Amino acid sequence: MIRINLLPHREERRKERQRQFLILLGATVFAGAVTWYAGSKYFDERLASQDSRNSILKAEMVKLDKQIEDIKRLKEQTGALLARKQVVEALQTNRSEGVKLIDQIGKIPEGIFLKNVKQAGSKVNIVGYAQSNARVSALMRDLEVSPVLRTPELVEIKAANLNNQRTNEFSLNSTMRQTVVIDPAAPITAKVATTPSKSEAARQNLVNKISN
């Protein structure tokens, strides 16, 4: 006996496939929505955390900038004090040079009469009269080995009359030994170490730590 299925089985299969497709589509949409929500929530939390860290970084940078300015100001004050200390020491050194120069001038050889002695910084100009050229040579030899003056240089020597006596007028230059020359017009400056300060290093470490 031949059996014939008169039910619309093809239509039933098509409806079943459509139902399965809708179920799969709904599940995909739901999974996508959950994923989007979770990702959005995650990135929102990350942004909020980063904003908080940036706020901390900015606050710490403001503190470190103030500390760096304080350190720079202290360095400038220290440099100025060191420069003034050097000036005071130089003045104390130069103060005794006048006495030494006068003492040295008092030891001139016989036959020499001084007319003028002028000091400008480390340079000393001596003008006077000598009974002969040999006396001038003796004076220059004494200055060469003097503990106060050095490197005498004869500028001029010429015949002259002193108290109706024929003599030689001379002019020579010499240099003070170990003279500290101070220029009043020069600004007071001092070198300060330029190595990175602890505050600057701390600032860089903080930036690296928060950035990571």
Side-chain angles (χ1 to χ4, degrees), residues 24-205:
L24 181 61
L25 179 61
T28 303
V29 172
F30 177 77
V34 171
T35 302
W36 174 82
Y37 177 78
S40 177
K41 192 70 175 177
Y42 171 76
F43 285 111
D44 287 343
E45 291 178 355
R46 288 293 303 272
L47 288 175
S49 176
Q50 188 62 44
D51 289 340
S52 176
R53 295 167 70 182
N54 290 342
S55 299
I56 296 174
L57 175 62
K58 290 179 180 179
E60 292 299 325
M61 289 178 66
V62 170
K63 294 180 181 178
L64 292 175
D65 287 339
K66 186 178 183 301
Q67 293 178 2
I68 291 172
E69 290 298 325
D70 293 340
I71 291 173
K72 288 181 179 179
R73 184 167 60 255
L74 290 175
K75 284 184 177 180
E76 292 174 357
Q77 294 175 356
T78 302
L81 290 175
L82 290 175
R84 289 184 174 87
K85 178 176 177 290
Q86 293 173 357
V87 171
V88 172
E89 292 176 350
L91 290 174
Q92 291 177 347
T93 302
N94 291 343
R95 184 174 59 181
S96 62
E97 289 185 350
V99 177
K100 294 180 181 179
L101 179 60
I102 293 174
D103 180 68
Q104 179 62 39
I105 295 303
K107 299 177 181 179
I108 60 175
E110 294 183 1
I112 298 289
F113 306 93
L114 298 183
K115 176 182 178 182
N116 183 32
V117 178
K118 182 180 180 181
Q119 180 182 2
S122 62
K123 301 297 181 181
V124 177
N125 176 253
I126 301 175
V127 179
Y129 299 97
Q131 293 178 351
S132 64
N133 292 343
R135 302 287 186 180
V136 178
S137 298
L139 174 62
M140 294 181 66
R141 286 195 298 271
D142 289 348
L143 295 179
E144 185 69 37
V145 296
S146 166
V148 181
L149 298 171
R150 61 184 176 86
T151 60
E153 297 178 358
L154 183 62
V155 178
E156 182 184 21
I157 185 169
K158 61 182 179 179
N161 289 321
L162 179 64
N163 297 328
N164 296 324
Q165 294 183 1
R166 187 175 181 80
T167 185
N168 296 317
E169 183 179 2
F170 68 90
S171 174
L172 61 86
N173 292 329
S174 187
T175 305
M176 296 288 295
R177 295 182 184 273
Q178 298 180 350
T179 300
V180 181
V181 181
I182 302 175
D183 183 4
I188 298 176
T189 58
K191 293 182 178 180
V192 181
T194 56
T195 55
S197 64
K198 293 182 178 179
S199 295
E200 292 173 343
R203 174 179 178 177
Q204 186 61 40
N205 291 336

